[in-house]
């Protein structure tokens, strides 16, 4: 039975930091190009939700048997991050949710586990990468998320058939981060490059043997890894130096860590034709090589949010001081308001559908839609005569708004908007990924899953509006 990729989605954050802004501020560091920056209200979980939503909008997706979340920068330790993704996508309770976190190779672990399963599995990978101010990591890394729905031809059309995966594992010192550190450390690059070259050659040789292919059969190579020198030499080490390499995207969004290989793969799939053989090489504490071949089905597949489109629509003018504030390196005076309190467990449990999946109610007698869901209709007074409706994918229009300079926010001012959903339903929320001069009555918006605040280590996730671009 053919098994492979059924659909995919990517989330590239709206904001970009120009690398030369670092040098202008600090007198050192920076460089050319830009890097993607997760907003103050985004983290690896919220970005995974957005990537998964982009994937699910692209095709008639089956309900997966499992949701896997992979990240080096998980918002929670000692708590399953994938549960929030599961809840935001409104999956039933029998769908398993689990994390594979801690290293960039965790994405390969999640992907390999999904490919070797017999059921449909949603794999998400996301990182919010950072480094010390002025460091190479700060400039070269970036933030993004990717999601793949893995399954068989019985679940949905397979757009990229999985031909095989081979690995080479070796314990050596390359990149590491101790618990509590906000940045990683890296060993001398020449040492890591020499080790990776051997591992790439071993993994590629095994992959060709397993799939009964040769370098001449490969149409495109996607190489991912945080060791830049090893990434540049990997194609030659794998014996595919003459094969066209996929754009690595570091010039425009940075190296997005554990998500980067899947983001680059999605970029290739956005423009792939049937019967192209793709070689995905991941360098992280070893080397993993996966080979896919696009099918006829990819000709009829249209990505809901192509990677290049997201890159082109980014805001290139993020202030470096604001970037440092969002990352916690610049401790600025907050609004003089009471500190936020964490959400309580019991009310969150009672309102999971509303809080995480943005489920409203529609009165059967009048057709009125209520957010949050209401048991009693405001018009007519009918009790418990309603149906639950998902509002997360419905676009809306700004009916009125206010600019609040006093409300507590990590990035003031707060833009509060009242929106009218297409087909009914009025809702008050925040507008995010927008400047004050962008908001207006009549602005078209869509909903996005965000982190409203963090208090006492508890992340309060909910939905905000963002402009339709």
């Amino acid at each position: 039975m053919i098994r492979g990729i059924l659909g995919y989605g990517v989330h590239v954050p709206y904001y970009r930091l120009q690398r030369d802004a670092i040098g202008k501020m600090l007198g050192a560091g920076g460089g050319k190009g830009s890097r993607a920056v997760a907003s103050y209200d985004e983290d690896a979980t919220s970005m995974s939700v957005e990537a998964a939503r982009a994937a699910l909008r692209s095709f008639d997706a089956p309900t997966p048997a499992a949701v896997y979340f992979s990240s080096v920068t998980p918002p929670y330790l000692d708590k399953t991050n994938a549960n929030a993704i599961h809840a935001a996508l409104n999956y039933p309770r029998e769908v398993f949710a689990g994390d594979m976190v801690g290293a960039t190779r965790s994405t390969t672990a999640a992907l390999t586990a999904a490919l070797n399963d017999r059921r449909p599995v949603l794999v998400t990978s996301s990182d919010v990468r950072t480094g010390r101010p002025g460091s190479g990591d700060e400039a070269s890394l970036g933030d993004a998320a990717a999601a793949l729905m893995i399954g068989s031809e019985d679940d949905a059309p397979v757009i990229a058939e999985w031909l095989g995966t081979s690995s080479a594992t070796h314990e050596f010192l390359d990149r590491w981060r101790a618990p509590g550190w906000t940045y990683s450390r890296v060993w001398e690059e020449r040492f890591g490059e020499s080790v990776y070259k051997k591992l790439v050659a071993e993994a590629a040789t095994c992959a060709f043997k397993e799939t009964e292919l040769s370098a001449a059969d490969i149409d495109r190579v996607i190489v991912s890894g945080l060791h830049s020198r090893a990434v540049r030499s990997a194609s030659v080490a794998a014996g595919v130096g003459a094969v066209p390499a996929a754009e690595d995207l570091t010039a425009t969004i940075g190296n997005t860590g554990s998500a980067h290989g899947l983001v680059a793969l999605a970029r290739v799939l956005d423009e792939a034709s049937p019967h192209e053989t793709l070689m995905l090489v991941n360098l992280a504490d070893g080397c993993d090589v996966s080979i896919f071949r696009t099918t006829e089905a990819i000709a009829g597949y249209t990505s809901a949010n192509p990677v290049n489109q997201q890159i082109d629509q980014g805001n290139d003018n993020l202030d470096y001081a604001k970037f440092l504030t969002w990352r916690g390196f610049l401790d600025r005076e907050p609004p003089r308001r009471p500190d936020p309190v964490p959400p309580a467990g019991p009310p969150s449990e009672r309102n999971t559908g509303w809080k995480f999946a943005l489920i409203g109610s529609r009165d059967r007698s009048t057709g009125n839609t209520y957010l949050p869901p209401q048991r009693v209709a405001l018009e007519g007074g009918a009790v418990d005569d309603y149906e639950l409706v998902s509002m997360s994918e419905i676009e809306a229009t700004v009916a009125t708004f206010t600019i609040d300079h006093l409300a507590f926010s990590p990035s003031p001012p707060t833009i509060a908007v009242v929106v009218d959903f297409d087909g009914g339903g009025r809702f008050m929320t925040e507008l995010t990924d927008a400047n004050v001069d962008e908001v207006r009555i009549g602005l078209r918006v869509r909903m996005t899953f965000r982190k409203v605040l963090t208090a006492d280590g508890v992340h309060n996730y909910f939905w905000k509006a963002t402009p339709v671009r």
Side-chain angles (χ1 to χ4, degrees), residues 40-306:
Y40 72 95
D41 57 359
E42 293 185 290
D43 61 17
T45 295
S46 69
M47 291 198 299
S48 285
V49 170
E50 291 302 298
R53 292 176 67 210
L56 301 181
R57 285 196 298 268
S58 300
F59 73 112
D60 187 12
T63 299
V67 176
Y68 296 151
F69 166 78
S70 174
S71 179
V72 178
T73 57
Y76 281 122
L77 298 177
D78 206 12
K79 185 184 187 313
T80 304
N81 297 273
N83 279 18
I85 302 170
H86 177 287
L89 300 178
N90 200 30
Y91 283 142
R93 291 186 181 183
E94 60 265 24
V95 175
F96 173 79
D99 294 350
M100 297 186 188
V101 298
T104 54
R105 203 178 195 186
S106 299
T107 296
T108 300
L111 179 60
T112 303
L115 289 167
N116 283 286
D117 205 323
R118 295 182 179 181
R119 308 165 300 171
V121 177
L122 177 64
V123 175
T124 70
S125 181
S126 179
D127 267 353
V128 178
R129 308 294 310 198
T130 192
R132 285 177 288 188
S135 68
D137 271 2
E138 179 188 55
S140 65
L141 300 182
D143 310 329
L148 300 181
M149 183 70 83
I150 303 298
S152 303
E153 55 188 342
D154 289 344
D155 304 313
V158 175
I159 62 172
E161 179 185 3
W162 176 51
L163 302 182
T165 296
S166 293
S167 299
T169 299
H170 179 63
E171 168 57 23
F172 65 104
L173 197 59
D174 172 27
R175 174 179 288 267
W176 71 99
R177 177 165 58 89
W181 290 6
T182 57
Y183 54 85
S184 300
R185 293 184 177 179
V186 184
W187 198 254
E188 208 279 326
E189 280 204 331
R190 288 177 297 177
F191 167 73
E193 183 182 17
S194 65
V195 177
Y196 274 123
K197 282 183 176 180
K198 299 174 184 177
L199 297 172
V200 170
E202 291 177 18
T205 299
C206 290
F208 286 138
K209 182 178 180 180
E210 178 183 334
T211 59
E212 298 182 349
L213 298 174
S214 67
D217 298 310
I218 304 299
D219 295 301
R220 194 76 65 88
V221 178
I222 302 113
V223 181
S224 171
L226 290 168
H227 195 296
S228 57
R229 287 177 57 152
V231 167
R232 287 194 294 268
S233 62
S235 292
V236 174
V240 291
V243 177
E247 183 182 356
D248 68 3
L249 304 175
T250 55
T252 51
I253 64 172
N255 189 315
T256 57
S258 63
H260 202 71
L262 301 188
V263 173
L265 175 62
R267 165 68 181 79
V268 171
L269 292 174
D270 280 343
E271 299 180 353
S273 301
H275 311 300
E276 290 188 31
T277 303
L278 313 177
M279 185 176 187
L280 176 62
V281 181
N282 183 57
L283 308 180
D285 302 316
C287 178
D288 307 293
V289 176
S290 296
I291 299 179
F292 298 89
R293 179 175 293 140
T294 57
T295 69
E296 292 287 346
I298 200 164
Y301 186 94
T302 301
S303 173
N305 207 355

Side-chain angles (χ1 to χ4, degrees), residues 309-353:
Q309 177 178 307
Q310 295 186 63
I311 293 174
D312 293 342
Q313 292 177 343
N315 183 327
D316 293 327
N317 300 310
L318 178 65
D319 180 78
Y320 183 55
K322 182 173 288 188
F323 167 77
L324 292 178
T325 303
W326 289 356
R327 286 295 183 270
F329 285 114
L330 186 58
D331 187 13
R332 299 172 68 173
E333 174 75 7
R336 295 186 177 181
R337 290 291 180 271
D339 290 339
V341 296
S348 295
E349 153 64 21
R350 290 193 297 269
N351 296 282
T352 298

Side-chain angles (χ1 to χ4, degrees), residues 3-43:
R3 188 166 180 81
I5 300 172
L6 306 179
Y8 63 91
V10 166
H11 175 70
V12 179
Y14 174 63
Y15 291 101
R16 307 283 183 275
L17 175 68
Q18 297 298 316
R19 293 187 174 104
D20 62 7
I22 301 173
K24 291 176 182 178
M25 175 72 76
L26 302 181
K32 298 180 180 180
S34 59
R35 57 158 292 169
V37 177
S39 182
Y40 72 95
D41 57 359
E42 293 185 290
D43 61 17

